[in-house]
């Protein structure tokens, strides 16, 4: 499933009932899915990213009944701008609307305005002074990682609202849970969320195949944006049938992100993506060391130390050096 242009070393994802992804002897993987109806919100090329400008009350029971207005955060819905040096150490995740939201704020004065749940609405272009509208999570990650120099962002304040990551819950469901009950409202929500989950899985596989096709056409930037979105669609607290805590498609999509960065000579981002893939469980070390799509990355000084952290041959190499020393060989 790696991004390979040549027939001899092509990766694809083969869809199974359990949505798992397995290696084949021919190194070919595909996801078999119905034809996609649409794919909205993904910017496919640098040139297509267009610059865009972007009370509650509570009844208090007294005698007589009086009305008291609850305090609200007047800043919710407003925007603020930050200029950050690379690497950006705040963490972001893909929301239900496809956008990029803050999920972790570092203890750093540069991020003093950040709050969990804030949404990126504009971000620096990969190069030059232009600001891109933040069209989707993948495009934001692409811009952030390929930018040379400081990164400017415009974020929308959301007052710590994290509902952008939640599945839908109706009023009956909330009432039943509050009362410790399980009824039709809960069942309805569970069934709807299950259907939503299946639809997202199907869309994710379609996105993966689209990105793979673009990679084979050597449209690496466009492919990268969609692969980043595939990574961002990893379900929170994922648990597979085999108790795996990451999905197979994440491992390979993250590896393909590294291939894309290697192809466009973004070494730092490529090393970061490759490390994420290895941490997720991509363990075909022999393939990583020979994949032509990682040729640029293998020439980077960070490649060998990274591989030595995960690959057993590093231990064998040290053992061989010791043996050579004992026998006076160099």
């Amino acid at each position: 499933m790696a991004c390979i242009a040549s027939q001899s070393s092509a990766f694809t994802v083969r869809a199974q009932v359990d949505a798992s992804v397995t290696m084949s002897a021919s190194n070919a993987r595909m996801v078999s899915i119905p034809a996609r109806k649409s794919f909205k919100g993904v910017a496919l090329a640098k040139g297509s990213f267009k610059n865009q400008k972007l009370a509650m009350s509570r009844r208090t029971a007294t005698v007589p009944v009086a009305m008291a207005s609850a305090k609200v955060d007047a800043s919710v819905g407003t925007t603020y701008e930050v200029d950050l040096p690379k690497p950006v150490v705040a963490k972001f995740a893909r929301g239900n609307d496809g956008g990029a939201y803050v999920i972790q704020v570092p203890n750093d004065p540069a991020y003093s305005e950040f709050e969990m749940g804030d949404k990126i609405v504009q971000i620096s272009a990969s190069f030059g002074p232009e600001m891109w509208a933040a069209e989707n999570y993948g495009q934001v990650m692409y811009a952030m990682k390929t930018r040379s120099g400081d990164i400017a962002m415009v974020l929308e304040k959301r007052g710590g609202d994290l509902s952008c990551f939640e599945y839908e819950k109706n009023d009956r469901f909330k009432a039943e849970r509050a009362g410790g009950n399980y009824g039709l409202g809960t069942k309805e929500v569970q069934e709807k969320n299950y259907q939503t989950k299946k639809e997202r899985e199907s869309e994710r596989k379609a996105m993966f195949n689209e990105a793979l096709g673009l990679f084979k056409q050597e449209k690496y930037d466009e492919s990268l944006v969609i692969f980043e979105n595939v990574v961002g669609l990893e379900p929170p607290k994922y648990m597979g049938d085999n108790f795996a805590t990451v999905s197979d498609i994440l491992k390979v999509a993250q590896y393909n992100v590294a291939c894309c960065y290697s192809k466009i000579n973004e070494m730092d981002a490529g090393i970061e993506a490759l490390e994420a893939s290895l941490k997720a469980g991509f363990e075909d070390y022999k393939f990583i060391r020979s994949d032509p799509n990682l040729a640029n990355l293998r020439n980077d000084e960070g490649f060998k130390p990274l591989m030595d952290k995960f690959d057993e041959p590093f231990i064998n190499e040290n053992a061989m050096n010791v043996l050579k020393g004992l026998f006076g060989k160099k």
Side-chain angles (χ1 to χ4, degrees), residues 17-94:
V17 174
D18 61 357
S20 63
V21 185
T22 56
M23 289 286 289
S24 67
S26 63
N27 286 335
R29 298 178 180 178
M30 275 302 282
V31 171
S32 177
I33 54 168
R36 296 185 57 203
K37 296 180 180 179
S38 65
F39 178 71
K40 298 180 180 180
V42 174
L44 296 180
K46 290 181 178 179
S48 68
F49 300 145
K50 297 181 179 180
N51 188 25
Q52 298 180 7
K53 296 187 182 291
L54 301 174
M56 299 177 65
S57 66
R58 180 176 60 197
R59 184 180 298 274
T60 304
T62 62
V63 182
V65 175
M67 295 295 293
S69 60
K71 291 183 178 180
V72 295
D73 186 350
S75 67
V76 171
T78 63
T79 59
Y80 60 96
E81 185 172 352
V82 294
D83 287 286
L84 303 171
K86 292 185 70 174
V88 175
V89 292
K91 301 298 182 184
F92 306 91
R94 190 181 192 275

Side-chain angles (χ1 to χ4, degrees), residues 155-223:
L155 296 95
E156 177 188 351
K157 282 186 172 294
R158 302 182 73 250
D161 181 8
L162 299 179
S163 60
C164 54
F165 303 115
E166 296 176 356
Y167 286 112
E168 182 177 340
K169 298 177 182 178
N170 60 31
D171 291 338
R172 187 186 295 181
F173 171 89
K174 295 175 183 176
E176 290 174 1
R177 285 303 172 93
N181 300 320
Y182 177 93
L184 292 176
T186 300
K187 182 179 179 180
E188 178 186 343
V189 167
Q190 289 178 339
E191 290 176 348
K192 188 168 185 178
N193 287 345
Y194 176 80
Q195 183 61 32
T196 300
K197 177 183 176 182
K198 290 300 180 182
E199 290 173 356
R200 288 179 179 177
E201 288 177 356
S202 178
E203 181 71 4
R204 193 183 190 196
K205 294 170 190 173
M207 292 167 67
F208 184 99
N209 284 343
E210 181 177 357
L212 191 62
L214 289 167
F215 188 95
K216 291 179 178 180
Q217 297 174 46
E218 300 184 2
K219 297 179 179 179
Y220 304 123
D221 296 280
E222 300 173 26
S223 175

Side-chain angles (χ1 to χ4, degrees), residues 245-262:
T245 55
V246 296
S247 65
D248 290 325
I249 198 170
L250 172 69
K251 300 175 189 178
V252 184
Q254 191 70 73
Y255 177 81
N256 289 349
V257 169
C259 291
C260 289
Y261 282 124
S262 177

Side-chain angles (χ1 to χ4, degrees), residues 111-162:
Y111 299 84
S112 60
E113 288 195 78
F114 276 53
E115 188 174 6
M116 288 181 60
D118 287 358
K119 182 180 182 180
I120 299 177
V121 294
Q122 290 188 41
I123 189 164
S124 294
S126 291
F127 51 89
E130 183 182 2
M131 292 289 287
W132 286 341
E135 298 177 2
N136 57 73
Y137 173 87
Q139 176 233 10
V140 169
M141 294 300 103
Y142 167 84
M144 196 179 297
K145 295 176 182 178
T146 57
R147 173 74 180 177
S148 177
D150 290 354
I151 299 172
M153 297 182 197
V154 177
L155 296 95
E156 177 188 351
K157 282 186 172 294
R158 302 182 73 250
D161 181 8
L162 299 179

